[in-house]
Amino acid sequence: MEQWEADDARRRHMARFGRRDTAPELAVRRELHRRGRRFFVDRQVSRRCRVRPDLVFPRARVAVFVDGCFWHLCEEHVQLPKANAELWRRKLLANRERDARNQAILTAEGWRVVRSWEHDDPATVADQVEHELDRWSAIVTGHPGRRRS
């Protein structure tokens, strides 16, 4: 695994970009909220890694990530910058490796992880999240398909 480190100037520049409340994340949140689902936003769920899922359903142990195509290197929309191409390639590959590492940690801790891309339809993502929540509800209530708020 290759380590990627930014210099101080780059770190300050990148700190200006928000890491939450992106348009795709807000669309998924609105859709789940419309369906009556309540959740936490940008909440740390593990002490073994610093990852903060975009949406968290702690009782059901479901963590939802809405990944940006650029920052998480979507294979469908990959387009590396021409300036400093090698630096960006290393950085974005390191992001993907970190995502995989964090997902493995969360899964080992009993979390169900739902990962989507910014270009995914919010209703489809909400369906995936509800599927995981319904699975949890079926275990808790002993009745498949029965939803519990």
Side-chain angles (χ1 to χ4, degrees):
M1 177 182 70
E2 187 175 344
Q3 192 71 354
W4 187 87
E5 279 295 322
D7 60 14
D8 287 338
R10 174 68 48 195
R11 198 172 286 111
R12 281 192 306 276
H13 174 74
M14 299 305 291
R16 292 187 304 159
F17 294 99
R19 72 169 201 256
R20 61 174 275 185
D21 299 335
T22 63
E25 179 189 333
L26 290 172
V28 171
R29 284 167 38 187
R30 273 192 299 274
E31 179 63 24
L32 285 166
H33 202 267
R34 185 186 68 73
R35 296 179 184 197
R37 299 297 186 166
R38 302 300 179 257
F39 43 81
F40 290 95
V41 176
D42 191 38
R43 184 180 199 190
Q44 188 167 357
V45 296
S46 173
R47 291 190 177 164
R48 290 179 51 205
C49 60
R50 292 182 1 187
V51 66
R52 299 174 70 91
D54 297 315
L55 307 174
V56 179
F57 298 85
R59 290 181 66 207
R61 294 184 74 75
V62 173
V64 181
F65 295 89
V66 182
D67 292 339
C69 290
F70 176 77
W71 294 109
H72 298 270
L73 204 58
C74 168
E75 292 178 11
E76 193 174 322
H77 298 110
V78 65
Q79 191 170 5
L80 294 174
K82 298 203 184 329
N84 294 323
E86 183 56 27
L87 173 121
W88 280 107
R89 186 187 70 73
R90 285 194 338 264
K91 163 64 178 149
L92 298 176
L93 285 173
N95 285 354
R96 286 191 82 172
E97 289 173 0
R98 184 198 62 224
D99 290 344
R101 230 180 12 259
N102 289 337
Q103 184 163 334
I105 290 169
L106 292 179
T107 301
E109 292 179 351
W111 286 87
R112 290 192 172 97
V113 177
V114 175
R115 229 174 233 296
S116 66
W117 291 103
E118 68 177 286
H119 61 263
D120 290 341
D121 177 45
T124 304
V125 176
D127 288 343
Q128 293 170 330
V129 172
E130 286 203 314
H131 174 74
E132 291 300 334
L133 294 172
D134 288 344
R135 283 179 57 196
W136 172 79
S137 181
I139 293 168
V140 171
T141 64
H143 296 75
R146 198 172 198 190
R147 285 170 49 168
R148 185 175 159 188
S149 296

